[in-house]
Amino acid sequence: MADQAENAAAEALPKIDTSVPQSARIWNYWLGGKDNYEVDRVAGDAFREIFPGIETGARAARYFLARAVRHLAGEEGVRQFLDIGTGLPNVDNTHQIAQRVAPESRIVYVDNDPLVLAHARALLTSTPEGVTNYVDADLRDPATILREAARTLDFDKPVALMLMGILGHIEDHEEACAIVRELVAGLPSGSFLVQYDSTDTSKDYLEAIQQYNEGGSIPYILRSPEQIARYFDGLELLEPGVASCSRWRPDTEALGLPAEVHQYGGVARKN
């Protein structure tokens, strides 16, 4: 019976397309993960050949996530996290960092990638005191995300909204800004936005992205630091504001990283 149930669950999963590279799997490859396919590794190697700094940027972005979550859970007392576009499980995911600081933390992951869905069981781990849950939804549908997240999170208390490297997949910048506004509007005062995306500050990066976008994958748009800063309009930015991810409150994890990477982000409070 258990085998039949597992088979049925597997058959219910959306079909994973391995004919074209996919950004979450390529990012997983750059970070040293194993949840990727040959097509992703080929694309990742081709990207790195044009823009060798991509792996450094990937590490800087990952360390930024860790520092931001530690700060919010430790210094700001946040106990709820809504991580949209979470990607594939890796070392020190949001729930692991938050619950290490505060075991009672509640985390909801949101993604709609089939491989991420297949790994949902890996994400659905938690301390006994806390909760970790998963929502299958699209970033372009904030109303559904907020409604489903409310099954796990208490929207009368502060929530940290995590949008890590995901808004570049929204091709129209005004639409991306509108999505952020709608998500933030659904959160109570005292909540936070944590966000980063890759920037158009390198000619090699622009060339590598153009080649990637022509390969049939979901396009990713590099934006200026000023465009990324617009996601925080109306919010109170924490120091040092919107900055290169390696410059955001660096600690020992950031040692060995260049001061400037082409991933910019920040953390801001909703008053």
Side-chain angles (χ1 to χ4, degrees):
M1 292 292 291
D3 289 341
Q4 290 178 346
E6 288 183 5
N7 290 339
E11 290 174 2
L13 290 174
K15 181 176 175 58
I16 296 170
D17 185 358
T18 61
S19 65
V20 296
Q22 199 272 350
S23 61
R25 302 193 308 247
I26 296 173
W27 207 255
N28 175 268
Y29 172 56
W30 285 329
L31 287 170
K34 300 184 183 302
D35 297 315
N36 47 75
Y37 297 98
E38 179 65 20
V39 67
D40 307 306
R41 295 187 286 273
V42 169
D45 290 342
F47 197 108
R48 182 173 49 202
E49 186 172 335
I50 299 172
F51 179 56
I54 187 59
E55 288 184 341
T56 300
R59 291 201 311 275
R62 193 72 185 178
Y63 296 156
F64 165 66
L65 179 152
R67 295 194 304 278
V69 172
R70 280 202 304 270
H71 173 78
L72 292 177
E75 302 301 318
E76 303 288 350
V78 176
R79 296 294 179 263
Q80 302 187 110
F81 294 81
L82 177 57
D83 189 336
I84 302 174
T86 179
L88 291 159
N90 211 303
V91 176
D92 274 355
N93 300 287
T94 297
H95 73 282
Q96 294 165 319
I97 300 166
Q99 292 180 345
R100 196 176 298 142
V101 176
E104 70 274 23
S105 297
R106 305 171 75 85
I107 294 87
V108 171
Y109 290 108
V110 181
D111 212 300
N112 69 337
D113 176 75
L115 188 60
V116 175
L117 182 60
H119 284 79
R121 289 181 181 177
L123 286 174
L124 293 175
T125 58
S126 177
T127 58
E129 304 94 328
V131 176
T132 304
N133 211 338
Y134 179 89
V135 171
D136 181 15
D138 192 290
L139 175 63
R140 292 177 174 84
D141 189 1
T144 294
I145 291 173
L146 292 169
R147 183 183 68 248
E148 293 302 313
R151 300 177 187 273
T152 302
L153 305 179
D154 180 355
F155 281 94
D156 290 326
K157 298 177 181 178
V159 175
L161 170 63
M162 317 282 293
L163 295 169
M164 313 301 279
I166 188 69
L167 291 171
H169 287 300
I170 306 298
E171 294 188 56
D172 183 86
H173 185 237
E174 293 303 321
E175 181 185 0
C177 290
I179 288 170
V180 175
R181 287 196 299 270
E182 185 172 349
L183 288 167
V184 170
L187 305 180
S189 296
S191 293
F192 290 84
L193 170 63
V194 184
Q195 195 275 331
Y196 87 84
D197 261 297
S198 295
T199 62
D200 61 0
T201 46
S202 163
K203 181 185 295 186
D204 291 342
Y205 205 172
L206 285 165
E207 181 182 344
I209 280 288
Q210 181 179 353
Q211 179 174 294
Y212 170 80
N213 289 345
E214 291 171 354
S217 302
I218 297 174
Y220 184 90
I221 308 302
L222 300 181
R223 295 197 163 108
S224 68
E226 293 76 18
Q227 286 177 307
I228 290 173
R230 279 196 57 200
Y231 299 137
F232 298 95
D233 283 356
L235 304 176
E236 178 192 353
L237 274 164
L238 305 189
E239 290 295 334
V242 177
S244 168
C245 283
S246 55
R247 287 182 181 270
W248 197 90
R249 304 191 179 197
D251 58 15
T252 54
E253 278 189 332
L255 293 177
L257 292 173
E260 286 292 323
V261 295
H262 302 284
Q263 286 74 29
Y264 272 56
V267 180
R269 179 187 291 108
K270 177 181 179 180
N271 291 320

